[in-house]
Amino acid sequence: MLVDTYGRVATDLRVSLTDKCNLRCSYCMPPEGLEWLPGPDLLTDDELVRLVSVAVGLGVTEVRFTGGEPLLRRGLVSIVERVGALSPRPRMQVTTNGIGLAKVAPALAAAGLDRVNVSLDTLDRERFVTLARRDRLVDVLAGLAGAADAGLTPVKVNAVLMRGVNDDEAAPLLRWALGEGYHLRFIEQMPLDAQHGWDRATMVTAEEILASLQAEFDLTPVGEQERGSDPAEEWVVDGGPGKVGVIASVTRPFCGSCDRVRLTADGQLRNCLFAREESDLRGAMRAGASDEELGARMRASLLAKLPGHGIDDPGFLQPTRPMSAIGG
Ligand code: SAM
Ligand code: SF4
C-alpha cells in the first residue's frame, strides 16, 4: 500500500493528462498561457496506463483525470476504457472545464467513466469572459447538461470565488445548481497560480461563503463520519435532498486525512499539491524499470510526504509548478 509516515494511505490518484488548456482562468494561468511541456516529455497512453496499473496494484481505488484540460487529450476515451479494465477496477472521474463535454460525454460513459466534476465560477457571460478570458459559458452549460444526459451523475460543479469578481455569486450559483440537480462545491482559492496573484488577506474564505449562503438558505451540517477523507465539508440545503460543499483548503486544511497522490502529465509523482519535490517515474520507466521498481519509487515518494501544506507557515514557498501543470 501507499502509506506515509503519519499513517495516511493514498488511495486516490489524480492524473494530469495534459498541461494545456483552452481557458485562462485568472486564478490559474496568465492570459498568454504557459510554456507547455514538450511533446516527448509527456507520458504516452501506454506509459500512463502502466503507471496507473502499478498504482492500482498498490491500493489505489479512485483515479481522477485532470490537467490542464483533460478533454484536450486525444486518447482520453481509450485511456478511460483501459484503466476501467484494470483489476480491481478503480472508480474513475474527470475534472474538466466542460468545453466539449456535451459531445464526448456519451463516449466517456460508454468507456466506463463514473462521474465528472465541471468547473464553473459564474453564470454571467461577461464575467465568465473576465474570469476565464474566453467567451465559452454557453459551451460549459451545454457540457454540464450533456454529462447529466449521459448518466455521469451526480454531476459535481466546482466554483472558486474571487473578491470583487464573483464573490456575490455564492447564493445565485447554489440556487441554479439545486434547480439543475447538480452538486455544487466551492473551493477556496489557493496559492497555485503561475502569476503568484494569490493573497491570503483578500481571498474569499469558507466562512464568508457560508455566511452568504446562510442569508438565503437553511444549512444543516452533514456529520464528520460521513465526510471520511472527502476534502469538502457538506451541508444539507433547506432540509434536502440538495447539498452544498465547501473545500476550505486554506482556512480549514484537511491534510490529516489526505488520501491523494498525483501524477503529472510528464510522469512525475507528487505526494502533495504543494510538494516541492517529485519522483521521476517517466525517467525510471524509460530506463527500463520493472513494475516492482516503479512501485518501490511510488512507496518511497509517499514515505516522504509532509504532514501538511504549510500555507500559513512563515516560510511557505509556493510550488514551482502551477496548478495546471500539477493536475488540480
Ligand atoms: N481544467 C479543468 C478544470 O478547470 O476543471 C481541470 C484542471 S483545474 C486546475 C482543476 C480545478 O482546480 C478546477 O476546479 C479549478 O477551478 C481549480 N483551481 C485552479 N486553480 C486554483 C487555485 N489557485 N485555487 C483553487 N482552485 C483552483
Ligand atoms: Fe484551464 Fe482548469 Fe486552469 Fe481554468 S482552472 S485555466 S479551465 S486548467
Side-chain angles (χ1 to χ4, degrees):
M1 290 210 297
L2 294 169
V3 193
D4 69 29
T5 51
Y6 301 90
R8 295 168 298 187
V9 183
T11 53
D12 178 344
L13 176 67
R14 312 217 164 181
V15 183
S16 174
L17 296 181
T18 173
D19 58 330
K20 292 200 181 120
C21 191
N22 42 12
L23 293 183
R24 295 285 183 274
C25 305
S26 54
Y27 49 73
C28 182
M29 272 198 208
E32 65 279 11
L34 296 163
E35 204 173 304
W36 311 123
L37 291 166
D41 286 4
L42 296 178
L43 294 179
T44 63
D45 292 3
D46 287 350
E47 289 173 332
L48 196 145
V49 173
R50 179 173 169 206
L51 289 179
V52 174
S53 140
V54 172
V56 166
L58 292 172
V60 161
T61 54
E62 187 101 32
V63 177
R64 310 195 189 212
F65 299 108
T66 179
E69 177 43 49
L71 299 192
L72 296 181
R73 173 105 185 195
R74 222 174 275 145
L76 173 64
V77 173
S78 133
I79 290 171
V80 168
E81 202 160 33
R82 292 172 67 185
V83 170
L86 296 175
S87 181
R89 178 191 180 283
R91 283 183 299 278
M92 292 179 292
Q93 181 199 303
V94 168
T95 299
T96 168
N97 62 29
I99 297 172
L101 183 58
K103 198 164 161 212
V104 77
L108 286 173
L113 188 74
D114 295 296
R115 281 198 309 102
V116 288
N117 261 10
V118 178
S119 305
L120 177 62
D121 309 316
T122 179
L123 296 167
D124 180 274
R125 184 171 163 191
E126 276 173 33
R127 273 191 189 180
F128 189 95
V129 177
T130 307
L131 234 157
R133 304 189 182 104
R134 299 285 187 274
D135 189 5
R136 306 299 294 271
L137 175 62
V138 172
D139 303 277
V140 178
L141 295 176
L144 278 160
D149 288 348
L152 296 170
T153 50
V155 172
K156 293 196 180 180
V157 176
N158 291 344
V160 176
L161 297 182
M162 297 179 78
R163 192 163 315 279
V165 181
N166 61 342
D167 53 342
D168 57 349
E169 277 197 76
L173 276 164
L174 180 54
R175 213 180 304 132
W176 163 81
L178 292 171
E180 299 290 335
Y182 304 147
H183 182 59
L184 178 66
R185 296 164 350 144
F186 292 97
I187 309 178
E188 278 183 344
Q189 189 186 352
M190 294 178 277
L192 285 165
D193 57 317
Q195 321 82 277
H196 291 241
W198 180 85
D199 181 357
R200 177 73 159 93
T202 57
M203 62 163 282
V204 180
T205 62
E207 203 178 327
E208 286 176 78
I209 297 167
L210 286 168
S212 333
L213 295 178
Q214 275 158 340
E216 182 170 332
F217 302 97
D218 179 31
L219 302 184
T220 314
V222 172
E224 275 300 306
Q225 273 162 341
E226 282 179 54
R227 182 177 177 194
S229 59
D230 188 344
E233 285 174 74
E234 299 273 344
W235 285 263
V236 173
V237 185
D238 291 339
K243 285 190 209 162
V244 65
V246 180
I247 303 179
S249 329
V250 179
T251 62
R252 303 180 196 174
F254 33 84
C255 303
S257 59
C258 179
D259 63 357
R260 282 164 286 282
V261 56
R262 293 162 198 274
L263 180 65
T264 65
D266 58 348
Q268 312 298 303
L269 197 76
R270 296 179 66 96
N271 57 28
C272 171
L273 202 48
F274 294 90
R276 303 201 52 82
E277 278 167 25
E278 302 179 334
S279 172
D280 180 16
L281 299 181
R282 182 197 69 209
M285 184 164 47
R286 290 187 184 171
S290 65
D291 285 0
E292 289 68 31
E293 284 161 341
L294 293 169
R297 277 182 179 251
M298 290 183 187
R299 281 201 303 272
S301 167
L302 260 292
L303 281 174
K305 181 162 170 152
L306 296 176
H309 58 44
I311 291 177
D312 279 333
D313 296 350
F316 174 74
L317 283 176
Q318 193 172 321
T320 25
R321 290 218 216 202
M323 178 82 133
S324 56
I326 297 168

